[in-house]
Structure formats: C-alpha cells, structure tokens
Amino acid sequence: MHKYNSNLLIMIMMLGTFGILSTELGVIGILPQIAQYFNVGIDHAGLFVSLFSITIAITSLFIPMLFNKYDRKKVFSLVLLVFVVCTFFSAFTDNFYFALLCRVIPAIFYPAYISLTLAVAAEIVPKEKAQESVSKVIMGVSAGTIIGVPITTFMATIIGYRAAMLWFTVVTFIAFIATVLFFPKLPGKVTAYGSQVQSVKTKIFFMSCVGVLVLITGVCISYSYMSEFLQTVTHIVGLDLSITLFLFGIASLFGNWIGGKLLTTKPDQTTLTYPFILSGLFLLFYYYGHSIIPTVLLMIVWGFLDGLVNDIIQYWVVSAAPQAPEFANGIYISVLNIGITMGTSIGGFIILSYGTISIFLASIIIMLFSFIFILLRTRINLNPS
C-alpha cells in the first residue's frame, strides 16, 4: 500500500468526505427553506435530518462489510455517484416524499465511503503515521461543517432551496471526477462477516463503544444548540454569528491536526483528560456566556477541542478492534449518529425545561459519566487478561 502517493489519495478522500458531509449537515441550516419550498411543517422538514441519521446508524452495522470485498476505487466512485444523482433529482422535484427518498438512498451508502476511506487512510502510510493520516481525512468532516454549512445556508437564503441542492451536487461531482481520474485501483478484502463480528465481541470494544456513545451524547447536548446559545444568551447575531462560527470551525481544523499527533504519542492520557478539560470549558460558558468577548474567545477554544474529539472517538473505537478496521469504523459511525440523536433530544428537553444556558451543565454531567467507561477501557487495555 505504501507505494501509492498517499498525499494525493488523502486529498481526494478529504474532498469526497467534504462533499458527503456537506450534503449531510448542510440541510440543518436550511430547514425553514425546505419547509417553505415543499409547503410542509418544520417538523416534516426535520425528517431530512433525522431519517438521514437513523438510516446511517442502521446501515453502518453491515454496509461497510458488504462493500469491503470490492475494489476501493469502484466503491468510492459508486457512492459519490449515488450522492450526485440523488441530490440532483432532489433539486428539481416538487414532491416532498420523493425528495425525502433522495435523502435516504445516499444515507444507505454513506457508511461504505466514510468507513472505507478511514481504513484506507490508515493502510496507505507506515503504521506509526496511521492515526495522523486518518485525522487528515477526518478534517473533511470539519470542513463540511465550516465551509459546507455556511455556504448552503447562504445559497438557500439568497437564492433558494434548489441552489443549495445544486451546491451539494457540484461539490460531490468534483470529488467523483477526481476519484475516477486519479484514484488508483485498490483491491478489497475478502473477510468473513462472522470473523469480523467475533473480533469486536470483546470487553474492550464494548467499553469503547459505550464510552464514546456517552461522551458524544454529552458533547452534542451543547454542540447541537450552539447557534441557539449564541443568539439567545450571548446575543451574537447576523454577521457576528457567522464570524464566530467560522472561527470555531478554523480552530477545529487545528484540533484535528493536533489530535492525530496526540493520539499517536499519548492516546490514553489524551482521551482520559478530555472530558475534564471540556467540562471545565463548559463551566466557563455557564458563568460567562452572557458576555460577548469572553464567549467568542471560549468558542475558539471549543472549536479546537471539537476537532480533537472527532479524532478521539474514531481512534477509541477502531483501536479496540485492529483486526476488523472496516467493521469497527462502521460501528463508530453508527455510535456517533446515535450519540448525536440522543444529545440533540436531551438538549432540546433541557432548553424547554430549564433554559438554554443549562445545556452546559447537562453536558458536564453526561461527559463526566463517560469517564467511568473510558477509564475501564484503559484498564482492560493495560490488563487484557
């Protein structure tokens, strides 16, 4: 695998991940436009998000293994093409349910791309650089949030829903062309599904998944309502809001980069201290969240830590099952989406019951609870018997 131009392959996979993540996350900021375009309630428009996440959570358990035996170039090209075709048709339909179907179909194939790109990123470089390579691909996730979401929101607001869908189409089509032209043929792996399942039926893998699920749930209680907090508590709106979120996103890219290096040299220490560091930051948000300047500075730090957690949760799950990286990546994607759904639901309840600022206290409680499972996982790793 090391004979390939790893930098080129990683760049192509970053572009593909960016396109796919823009398609997934971009609709979050344009739900009002979707509701208006299809003349449905905002709760129905929310199905564009929830059905996508639920589909991923389910298909991540088996789709990566189904596609694992096929040539990587063919799999990546197929998935990107499915995204291109479906988003293109969704741009020109007036039928809400057909547009919803055009969201669900790509979500079915989503795990094949994300899971296998993370596996390939680790395989095409020397073992000691594997986590740094994976972190670079994960940067595509952050870029999808930093660039994809604001551009989507801007296009939908200024031009309309159709323009946003065509933006998804163009970005993913560019990634598709780059894959077809420059990505080499990489043979798949013929691995029995049963043996992959057996490799993850361990205490360390179970503790890893539970720890990550609880951690990401705690993070997303606040993360999902970041804009709500900035607008209603700190009163940062309009252009100032966009600038603040942009700074958050830029900082998260640095977090991705540093995270890869920290997990390569000090994985246990990095993971064990993370819940406490972020909890301390959220406590500062709770006390100073009404002041603009302290909040903006804290948002930059949060952005860095948010980029770091993307690396942590992927590493924590996959490193617990090194014999089955494709299947483990699929489980990671599933756990991640379940955690996002749970965190968002809990956060919404907290806001309605106790006020927006209280989401930070709820996040702290859940994240500190995740430390128990992270610590148990670490001890199992040190004493595998």
Side-chain angles (χ1 to χ4, degrees), residues 78-349:
L78 171 65
V79 176
L80 291 170
L81 184 60
V82 168
F83 269 79
V84 169
V85 172
C86 288
T87 51
F88 179 80
F89 279 115
S90 67
F92 292 97
T93 183
D94 295 324
N95 186 302
F96 174 74
Y97 295 101
F98 180 74
L100 206 57
L101 180 64
C102 289
R103 285 286 291 175
V104 172
I105 292 175
I108 294 173
F109 292 89
Y110 175 105
Y113 190 91
I114 301 300
S115 175
L116 295 183
T117 52
L118 295 175
V120 169
E123 293 170 354
I124 59 177
V125 297
K127 187 176 181 180
E128 63 273 13
K129 295 184 178 180
Q131 190 56 44
E132 288 187 46
S133 179
V134 170
S135 298
K136 290 178 182 178
V137 175
I138 293 177
M139 279 188 182
V141 177
S142 298
T145 305
I146 300 163
I147 304 172
V149 175
I151 290 179
T152 303
T153 305
F154 174 79
M155 287 191 168
T157 302
I158 302 301
I159 307 176
Y161 161 82
R162 184 169 294 173
M165 293 298 108
L166 290 177
W167 151 251
F168 297 150
T169 304
V170 170
V171 173
T172 315
F173 182 70
I174 293 173
F176 168 72
I177 294 298
T179 302
V180 171
L181 294 180
F182 303 113
F183 207 91
K185 291 184 178 180
L186 298 178
K189 300 177 182 177
V190 180
T191 308
Y193 189 82
S195 65
Q196 293 268 319
V197 174
Q198 281 297 123
S199 65
V200 301
K201 291 170 65 176
T202 60
K203 287 183 180 179
I204 190 171
F205 191 79
F206 175 77
M207 287 298 175
S208 297
C209 290
V210 175
V212 164
L213 177 61
V214 178
L215 177 62
I216 203 65
T217 298
V219 171
C220 285
I221 290 173
S222 298
Y223 177 84
S224 299
Y225 298 97
M226 183 192 307
S227 294
E228 173 73 11
F229 157 71
L230 291 173
Q231 293 179 76
T232 61
V233 177
T234 318
H235 302 297
I236 298 176
V237 296
L239 181 60
D240 291 338
L241 176 63
S242 298
I243 293 173
T244 302
L245 293 177
F246 180 75
L247 292 174
F248 176 95
I250 293 297
S252 74
L253 288 179
F254 284 99
N256 278 143
W257 178 59
I258 297 297
K261 295 184 178 297
L262 288 175
L263 290 170
T264 300
T265 56
K266 299 179 179 179
D268 290 348
Q269 297 93 317
T270 301
T271 308
L272 285 168
T273 57
Y274 184 85
F276 294 98
I277 295 173
L278 189 57
S279 293
L281 181 72
F282 281 176
L283 197 59
L284 292 175
F285 270 115
Y286 182 78
Y287 284 108
Y288 298 103
H290 294 86
S291 303
I292 292 179
I293 294 178
T295 297
V296 172
L297 295 176
L298 291 173
M299 284 295 294
I300 295 173
V301 178
W302 187 6
F304 177 85
L305 294 175
D306 183 69
L308 183 59
V309 78
N310 289 328
D311 290 330
I312 288 175
I313 59 178
Q314 191 273 341
Y315 168 82
W316 210 235
V317 173
V318 177
S319 64
Q323 305 88 353
E326 295 83 7
F327 187 67
N329 273 316
I331 298 293
Y332 147 70
I333 295 168
S334 181
V335 169
L336 174 62
N337 279 273
I338 294 171
I340 291 171
T341 302
M342 291 175 60
T344 303
S345 300
I346 295 172
F349 170 78

